[in-house]
Amino acid sequence: MKIILTHEVSGLGTPGDIVEVKDGFGRNYLLPQGFAILWTKGAEKQVESIKRARGAREVRDLGHANEIKSQLEGLKVTLSARAGQGGRLFGSVTANEVAEAVKTAGGPALDKRKIELPAAIKSTGGYTVQIKLHPDVTAKFNLNVVAAK
């Protein structure tokens, strides 16, 4: 089965890649999850727009990644979440919420899929969050989770 990837799939490729996969893998996993679309001549024309969008999201080069890393490491990121007694959160903090908190704190727009949380953040306090900016550059920054008033 020939498909076009719309998301990054480890071991298979990046968005915009045209790959050949087994029918069951494509039909039962990649297509229903929205990670890929079926290949057609018309869909192949969409590959250019997918690649342009990926280029806009990706970090340009190693120098740019190091610049973003230094910007992130000097940032104080605070995230307020609903919490009960004892600082226990209702639910947990997601990568999307962390990306929004970084943006609110004056940092760059981050891709939530590249954010690596230490574990499920289910209580208030300080946490160290990693983000993979480039294959060679990983930034770490401190996230302070506080109870919402």
Side-chain angles (χ1 to χ4, degrees):
M1 170 183 274
K2 204 170 186 181
I3 58 169
I4 301 170
L5 296 176
T6 56
H7 290 80
E8 184 172 341
V9 178
S10 62
L12 202 54
T14 58
D17 289 349
I18 300 171
V19 294
E20 188 79 30
V21 296
K22 296 202 177 201
D23 291 346
F25 183 53
R27 189 174 47 250
N28 296 327
Y29 178 67
L30 295 174
L31 295 175
Q33 294 292 327
F35 293 144
I37 56 174
L38 277 173
W39 177 89
T40 61
K41 287 185 180 181
E44 191 168 3
K45 293 177 184 173
Q46 292 178 334
V47 170
E48 284 304 314
S49 66
I50 292 172
K51 286 187 177 183
R52 264 188 267 120
R54 179 181 67 184
R57 273 195 320 264
E58 271 186 2
V59 176
R60 290 188 293 270
D61 58 6
L62 185 62
H64 188 238
N66 284 326
E67 183 181 310
I68 292 175
K69 178 182 177 181
S70 64
Q71 184 181 3
L72 278 174
E73 289 176 345
L75 206 61
K76 285 190 176 262
V77 182
T78 303
L79 178 77
S80 64
R82 290 182 17 163
Q85 280 186 321
R88 189 148 167 79
L89 300 181
F90 298 128
S92 62
V93 175
T94 64
N96 196 27
E97 291 172 330
V98 172
E100 287 296 320
V102 168
K103 198 172 186 181
T104 304
L110 301 174
D111 186 1
K112 67 179 180 182
R113 293 177 296 242
K114 307 239 180 190
I115 295 174
E116 299 170 4
L117 298 174
I121 299 175
K122 295 187 177 219
S123 62
T124 58
Y127 296 92
T128 302
V129 178
Q130 287 187 351
I131 180 161
K132 195 151 178 88
L133 297 169
H134 190 269
D136 301 331
V137 179
T138 302
K140 291 182 182 179
F141 62 93
N142 292 322
L143 174 70
N144 189 24
V145 180
V146 296
K149 304 267 183 217

